[in-house]
Amino acid sequence: MPTNIEKLAEELYAIVAPYPSPLDCTDLRTSRRGGKHRIVMDHFIGPSFNFTFDFDRVLPFDPAGGKGKTNDVFADAKISLSARHGVPPDTPTKKEVDRYCTLFLRLVLSVLSKEARAGRISSKTLAEMQVSRPRKDQMSAAIRDMVAVNPKHIVDATSAKTLDEFIDNFVAKDSAKIASALRQAQRAKTKVVGKIRKK
């Protein structure tokens, strides 16, 4: 019989694998680091960006919820989101990271709740959670800050002849979000240069 933490890890892995979602991660593992029972999911956006699910208690998972067992994989669990910050322009600031993590955590919780209501996560706690998704424009702005890449600093070691070609043919294959952020950063730069020239 799996524990609640093992069952949640199994269900999260099944959700992550088949289709794109805010839960898409490069790695999912259980850990006892620091004496805590946790699931850690590394996200693709940054080198040190992960979700952490911490459990106060680890109990055998039982769909019937028998004595000394649980039928809720998210009972007594807390989720947090963290990412590295530093000195711009190479890394986002703490303020940018905090804004991004706050918005993205809302997005993740809303998706977890939806998955629980659909029966893909065994959690009444998540199914009953009321979380509104952040607006798309808020997320887009926060993602641009988090990516923290100046298109001018990109060194192209591919066959692409322009930045647009590089983004379309190489970056977009690995991450649509990073490609979108780079395109928006490039457009914003072009608008500013255009305004200056008009003067």
Side-chain angles (χ1 to χ4, degrees):
M1 181 180 292
T3 62
N4 51 346
I5 188 171
E6 290 168 337
K7 182 67 175 174
L8 177 58
E10 176 188 308
E11 292 177 340
L12 286 171
Y13 185 78
I15 292 167
V16 168
Y19 57 87
S21 83
L23 299 176
D24 270 347
C25 291
T26 55
D27 185 41
L28 185 153
R29 62 195 179 279
T30 57
S31 167
R32 287 287 308 270
R33 191 170 182 180
K36 292 185 177 180
H37 300 273
R38 58 178 40 164
I39 296 171
V40 180
M41 296 171 68
D42 296 317
H43 202 273
F44 66 86
I45 278 185
S48 302
F49 174 38
N50 57 53
F51 305 107
T52 303
F53 298 84
D54 283 316
F55 289 76
D56 289 338
R57 293 186 301 160
V58 175
L59 298 169
F61 175 79
D62 176 10
K67 188 176 180 181
K69 300 170 186 175
T70 183
N71 61 355
D72 191 329
V73 294
F74 206 72
D76 299 317
K78 293 172 188 161
I79 179 172
S80 58
L81 195 60
S82 62
R84 189 177 64 182
H85 60 82
V87 181
D90 299 321
T91 53
T93 64
K94 184 178 185 308
K95 184 178 178 182
E96 289 168 340
V97 167
D98 288 346
R99 176 175 72 140
Y100 179 81
C101 287
T102 299
L103 290 171
F104 207 86
L105 187 55
R106 266 177 53 200
L107 183 60
V108 168
L109 285 169
S110 69
V111 170
L112 288 171
S113 182
K114 180 181 174 185
E115 296 293 344
R117 287 193 299 275
R120 287 184 282 269
I121 296 181
S122 308
S123 174
K124 186 178 178 186
T125 303
L126 285 174
E128 293 177 349
M129 190 178 286
Q130 298 296 316
V131 187
S132 61
R133 293 172 73 104
R135 295 196 324 261
K136 284 187 178 178
D137 61 326
Q138 287 179 312
M139 280 305 308
S140 295
I143 287 170
R144 285 198 301 274
D145 291 340
M146 273 295 296
V147 171
V149 175
N150 185 335
K152 204 164 93 180
H153 298 158
I154 291 176
V155 176
D156 185 4
T158 68
S159 58
K161 293 182 174 57
T162 65
L163 178 60
D164 288 334
E165 193 177 325
F166 172 70
I167 293 170
D168 292 340
N169 296 343
F170 297 95
V171 179
K173 288 180 182 176
D174 291 327
S175 171
K177 287 183 180 179
I178 291 177
S180 175
L182 286 172
R183 286 190 196 102
Q184 289 176 16
Q186 180 69 356
R187 281 197 294 271
K189 181 186 163 199
T190 304
K191 286 178 185 174
V192 170
V193 170
K195 285 179 184 175
I196 292 170
R197 283 179 180 162
K198 283 178 185 176
K199 288 180 181 179

